[in-house]
Amino acid sequence: MDIRAALLEAHSKAQTEKIVHFVGKDKSRFAALVALFLHDTGRVVQRAAWPLSDISIAHPELTQDYLHLFLERLRHPGMHVAVKRHVMRIFQVVALPVALHAELMNIAFDYVCDRGEAVAVRACAITVLGRLVLIYPEMVQELQVVLEDLITYEQSAGLLNRAGKELARIRRAI
């Protein structure tokens, strides 16, 4: 399968599943998908994000060499919401190298606090922060304040649900 051609052929769950199945646990195929995600343009990058996140969640061992590059991708201004959503989705579940914690925490706080950001990106960022503050308890209070503020002023049921659950989980853990 030509992964790039498959990404451009259609954007659907079925097509994503075909790509995920084709790549599987194969390191070279995963590397090819990552290369498209990191170095191609526009639509290919957007469409590569979905299978990339599905594969990363199913086979997190494949991602470890690329996590710093995924984080770097988030720094690009004007990044498409699909890229942000799927990269943050990956960071919700994979083992996070300590070297990435500070920058990832900063980006996640920015996403959560940005009311103009997509709900799905903000929701994933809440989960990422919930994971990280358990490692850095000095940040718990800051996240609690942000989540309490979000619960007070946010109208999205999805964000309210995620913030409430994460706040409860943090309170139980500390």
Side-chain angles (χ1 to χ4, degrees):
M1 171 188 286
D2 178 344
I3 298 173
R4 186 174 195 281
L7 290 168
L8 291 171
E9 182 180 315
H11 185 57
S12 66
K13 183 173 181 155
Q15 187 70 358
T16 297
E17 288 173 353
K18 286 179 189 176
I19 295 167
V20 168
H21 179 73
F22 173 74
V23 173
K25 291 183 177 182
D26 187 284
K27 289 182 180 184
S28 63
R29 291 177 180 174
F30 185 75
L33 179 62
V34 169
L36 291 169
F37 175 73
L38 294 174
H39 305 296
D40 213 300
T41 57
R43 184 163 288 154
V44 173
V45 173
Q46 291 169 227
R47 291 184 178 182
W50 188 359
L52 183 71
S53 69
D54 284 358
I55 295 163
S56 297
I57 291 166
H59 307 291
E61 67 280 1
L62 294 175
T63 64
Q64 289 305 306
D65 292 338
Y66 302 104
L67 291 175
H68 68 287
L69 298 171
F70 297 166
L71 185 61
E72 187 177 307
R73 193 72 163 137
L74 293 177
R75 286 190 228 126
H76 291 122
M79 188 55 50
H80 191 275
V81 67
V83 172
K84 293 187 267 188
R85 178 178 62 247
H86 288 292
V87 170
M88 292 307 287
R89 189 173 167 239
I90 293 167
F91 288 141
Q92 288 182 118
V93 297
V94 300
L96 299 170
V98 173
L100 303 182
H101 289 182
E103 187 169 3
L104 181 56
M105 193 175 283
N106 285 334
I107 289 171
F109 268 116
D110 288 346
Y111 286 162
V112 172
C113 294
D114 182 356
R115 291 191 176 174
E117 190 58 73
V119 169
V121 174
R122 294 173 73 196
C124 290
I126 288 169
T127 302
V128 170
L129 287 170
R131 289 182 69 197
L132 290 171
V133 299
L134 295 177
I135 299 168
Y136 301 99
E138 65 274 14
M139 297 301 295
V140 168
Q141 188 174 6
E142 184 173 347
L143 181 57
Q144 284 179 318
V145 168
V146 167
L147 294 180
E148 288 166 356
D149 184 60
L150 189 147
I151 289 169
T152 302
Y153 297 106
E154 186 57 50
Q155 295 179 5
S156 163
L159 272 180
L160 290 172
N161 185 327
R162 182 75 63 105
K165 286 181 178 179
E166 202 58 50
L167 198 51
R169 192 177 75 76
I170 292 166
R171 287 179 177 151
R172 281 191 309 270
I174 56 171

